[in-house]
Amino acid sequence: MEILGKLRNLDAYPKVNEDFYSRTLSGGFITILSSIAILFLFLSEIRLYVYSSKETKLVVDTSRGDRLRINFDVTFPHIACSLLAVDTMDVSGEQHYDIRHDIVKKRLDHIGNTIDSRKDGVGGPKIERPLQKHGGRLDHNEKYCGSCYGAEETDDQCCNSCDEVRDAYRKKGWGLTNPDAIDQCKREGFVQRVKDEQGEGCTVHGFVDVNKVAGNFHFAPGKGLPQINFLQDLFNIQAEQYNISHKINKVSFGRDFPGVINPLDGVEWTHKGESGIYQYFIKVVPTIYTDITGRKIHSNQFSVTEHFREAIGYPKPPPGVYFFYEFSPIKVVLTEENTSLLHFLTNLCAIIGGIFTVAGIIDSFVYHGHKAIKKKMEIGKLR
């Protein structure tokens, strides 16, 4: 009994008989407000516990030799698909002109409706007995090897399509001024296709795989400078008359991850007057996103500025839309995580105890203040 008595003396929560309670209107009002505050903060803490939060860290990017996939979906309402090419170039010297793999082009009419969709550069008409490199027609058991019309780099090089002849000419720096004289272009109806698509627009969708170094990718009508010269001769069209108005439906670097914002998505630019070069300068920030299950997504975020430059000087540069990108040496590490159960319980105790204590202090101040004022009024000291 003596031990129980000593234990009773340690009670930090002494009980007061209900006969000694004094309940007030102000106390009831403070109790309602504090209960609402506790409920609001309790629900807020529940939401933070249920939904994950993101922790951000900055580290130096030490990766080397990586490749980067650039995804794009861009609409040109005034440039035909047959005149539109995708080129890439980087500071390491790697260049790719008129990229056709992994790219889909959609022909658009004058109001933006899709006429046709095709994977660029894939497939072609089946031609019987095409012209061989040696000058004769293809025999039944002979393998086809078309002429490059003087642009061969080696004796055994073959150009089996109009695009291959044009690529060979481009590498030589020559202009293809008479495609009707090229057997491959004549058989494939290249000139007629260009004429048929005049007045149309084009949406280019796909991706390019590049080195993870500074560089650019761009969309240019005429498939490079030699082809601009060819189109001028063929259709009497000047390079500055190309309308490079465009809408960027999507441009991203790498895979998407939750919460990523691509600032170029939905950007639209319309230009009337002399054409030129529209440039986007992009700063790419490597990013690693780790979700709540521990799965990592290696991707990138980016910021961008833009500038239009008129095609001035002689010879005038071909018009186009250029995306210049460079990489930040700092990598962002985003980690998705949930609040631990112990942290959640600690916060709940802090919310309930803190509001209860503060409300008690306010109630005590109001009660004793009201009591003191009332007493002074009774003795006539307060008028």
Side-chain angles (χ1 to χ4, degrees):
M1 295 299 293
E2 184 179 354
I3 294 176
L4 293 178
K6 291 182 179 181
L7 184 61
R8 186 180 295 110
N9 292 333
L10 295 176
D11 185 6
Y13 309 99
K15 313 305 183 291
V16 180
N17 195 301
E18 291 187 3
D19 295 337
F20 297 98
Y21 283 154
S22 178
R23 302 183 185 275
T24 62
L25 182 62
S26 61
F29 184 72
I30 293 174
T31 300
I32 292 175
L33 291 180
S34 60
S35 299
I36 293 174
I38 290 174
L39 180 62
F40 175 78
L41 294 178
F42 175 78
L43 294 176
S44 177
E45 197 65 29
I46 287 288
R47 182 178 178 277
L48 291 176
Y49 178 71
V50 172
Y51 295 98
S52 58
S53 59
K54 294 183 180 67
E55 180 185 353
T56 303
K57 291 194 303 183
L58 300 179
V59 298
V60 176
D61 185 12
T62 58
S63 60
R64 297 186 302 169
D66 290 346
R67 301 287 293 181
L68 173 67
R69 173 176 289 193
I70 303 175
N71 310 291
F72 53 80
D73 187 339
V74 184
T75 297
F76 295 86
H78 305 293
I79 301 178
C81 289
S82 57
L83 305 183
L84 196 60
V86 182
D87 306 331
T88 66
M89 181 183 303
D90 62 43
V91 295
S92 69
E94 182 173 312
Q95 303 178 19
H96 298 280
Y97 293 100
D98 194 10
I99 300 171
R100 293 184 291 272
H101 56 82
D102 302 316
I103 292 177
V104 175
K105 290 183 178 179
K106 296 180 180 179
R107 294 172 55 194
L108 307 175
D109 61 19
H110 66 284
I111 58 175
N113 295 324
T114 300
I115 301 173
D116 182 29
S117 178
R118 66 174 184 265
K119 192 169 184 180
D120 199 27
V122 177
K126 182 178 180 181
I127 304 298
E128 298 295 337
R129 292 178 54 80
L131 187 66
Q132 287 284 68
K133 184 176 180 179
H134 54 64
R137 291 291 172 179
L138 179 67
D139 290 334
H140 181 67
N141 295 323
E142 189 179 8
K143 183 178 179 181
Y144 178 52
C145 178
S147 172
C148 296
Y149 296 87
E152 295 89 348
E153 294 182 339
T154 60
D155 292 337
D156 58 351
Q157 181 180 352
C158 300
C159 294
N160 295 339
S161 68
C162 184
D163 284 335
E164 291 180 5
V165 176
R166 291 158 59 207
D167 286 342
Y169 267 59
R170 177 192 53 75
K171 291 178 181 179
K172 290 286 188 178
W174 300 348
L176 189 63
T177 57
N178 188 12
D180 273 337
I182 306 299
D183 183 63
Q184 293 89 326
C185 296
K186 186 176 181 179
R187 289 187 287 104
E188 294 175 10
F190 170 73
V191 174
Q192 188 60 44
R193 186 170 72 246
V194 174
K195 290 181 178 179
D196 291 343
E197 294 184 9
Q198 278 193 291
E200 296 181 358
C202 187
T203 293
V204 187
H205 168 76
F207 67 89
V208 292
D209 189 66
V210 298
N211 293 320
K212 193 177 177 181
V213 295
N216 75 80
F217 67 98
H218 56 272
F219 303 87
K223 301 185 183 295
L225 184 57
Q227 300 307 314
I228 284 288
N229 296 334
F230 146 66
L231 291 168
Q232 290 174 359
D233 294 337
L234 183 62
F235 300 112
N236 194 26
I237 297 175
Q238 298 300 313
E240 62 267 18
Q241 291 178 326
Y242 286 108
N243 189 330
I244 59 171
S245 299
H246 59 278
K247 179 181 180 181
I248 301 176
N249 305 307
K250 182 178 181 62
V251 166
S252 64
F253 294 79
R255 299 168 57 190
D256 287 341
F257 58 89
V260 64
I261 297 176
N262 297 316
L264 283 177
D265 291 1
V267 170
E268 187 171 2
W269 185 79
T270 302
H271 179 68
K272 295 181 179 179
E274 186 170 352
S275 188
I277 298 174
Y278 203 85
Q279 301 167 314
Y280 294 95
F281 299 94
I282 299 171
K283 175 70 75 172
V284 181
V285 182
T287 303
I288 297 179
Y289 182 86
T290 305
D291 63 18
I292 199 66
T293 64
R295 183 173 63 96
K296 289 186 178 181
I297 299 176
H298 293 262
S299 187
N300 302 273
Q301 303 177 81
F302 66 92
S303 61
V304 62
T305 57
E306 53 193 274
H307 175 69
F308 174 74
R309 181 166 66 90
E310 291 186 355
I312 57 177
Y314 184 82
K316 290 189 176 182
V321 179
Y322 288 73
F323 297 81
F324 297 92
Y325 56 87
E326 59 180 4
F327 292 86
S328 169
I330 301 299
K331 179 185 295 184
V332 176
V333 180
L334 294 173
T335 305
E336 192 179 59
E337 56 184 17
N338 277 338
T339 305
S340 66
L341 179 60
L342 290 178
H343 189 267
F344 169 69
L345 295 176
T346 301
N347 287 347
L348 287 185
C349 293
I351 289 172
I352 297 172
I355 294 180
F356 184 81
T357 301
V358 171
I361 294 173
I362 295 174
D363 179 65
S364 177
F365 177 78
V366 172
Y367 174 74
H368 290 292
H370 180 264
K371 189 176 181 180
I373 293 173
K374 185 177 180 181
K375 187 175 181 180
K376 288 184 178 181
M377 291 180 64
E378 289 177 351
I379 62 178
K381 289 187 176 181
L382 186 64
R383 295 185 180 180

